[in-house]
Amino acid sequence: MTSPRAVLTLTSPEATCALASQLATRLSPGDVLLLSGGIGAGKTHFARCLIHALQDPPEDVPSPTFTLVQVYDTAAGELWHADLYRLSDPDQCEELGLADAFETAICLIEWPDRLEDLAPADALSLSFDAGAAEDSRALALDWSDPRWDAIVTELTA
């Protein structure tokens, strides 16, 4: 059986931010977003916008490229933002405590391919790519858990 897929064109960084903000209001602890795409594809911009949407007031959201994980207290619960680019083994992901965070926090995971078999089956995958126009992005959303059906339908309406 093929997993559901939705494809969007985000025409600007502001459109990317608006989508992240919309999605943020629908998230709760235990939700995992797997953010894929090349360097500069928009993963961190999307993550920052989503985190800011859940903070009151918004605080600085540095890229976790060197710290690997940044943890935030938000109105929706604890949020983990992880950048796994520098990891070479899925065991390192377990050492970071991600398996527990997948159960108890909202998790935004950049470079989720590093998770290999540790990636939660019920996650929402967002794959960013450069769009046809300058500053635009093509975004593919893939999921298997029916929980995402209504959420993605609302986001793409």
Side-chain angles (χ1 to χ4, degrees):
M1 183 168 116
T2 304
S3 296
R5 170 173 264 227
V7 179
L8 300 169
T9 298
L10 303 169
T11 58
S12 66
E14 294 78 19
T16 300
C17 203
L19 181 75
S21 296
Q22 279 184 286
L23 180 55
T25 64
R26 293 160 175 84
L27 297 177
S28 57
D31 288 339
V32 178
L33 304 182
L34 304 176
L35 309 176
S36 299
I39 293 173
K43 300 177 301 292
T44 301
H45 177 69
F46 179 89
R48 276 190 184 112
C49 291
L50 191 145
I51 295 165
H52 280 157
L54 293 174
Q55 293 177 322
D56 187 25
E59 61 185 69
D60 184 41
V61 177
S63 172
T65 300
F66 295 104
T67 59
L68 301 179
V69 175
Q70 293 287 120
V71 179
Y72 303 91
D73 289 320
T74 74
E78 189 173 75
L79 185 147
W80 284 45
H81 179 199
D83 183 328
L84 307 181
Y85 181 74
R86 295 183 315 122
L87 299 186
S88 58
D89 187 302
D91 289 341
Q92 295 171 311
C93 298
E94 286 192 75
E95 291 170 15
L96 292 173
L98 287 175
D100 290 334
F102 292 155
E103 302 293 323
T104 62
I106 298 168
C107 294
L108 309 178
I109 309 297
E110 296 187 45
W111 302 96
D113 57 308
R114 306 304 201 267
L115 290 169
E116 295 183 6
D117 293 339
L118 299 175
D122 60 352
L124 176 63
S125 295
L126 295 92
S127 182
F128 294 85
D129 203 357
E134 187 176 343
D135 287 336
S136 70
R137 296 290 181 261
L139 174 62
L141 298 99
D142 295 281
W143 66 99
S144 59
D145 190 314
R147 176 210 180 318
W148 298 109
D149 292 345
I151 293 171
V152 173
T153 298
E154 290 175 25
L155 293 175
T156 58

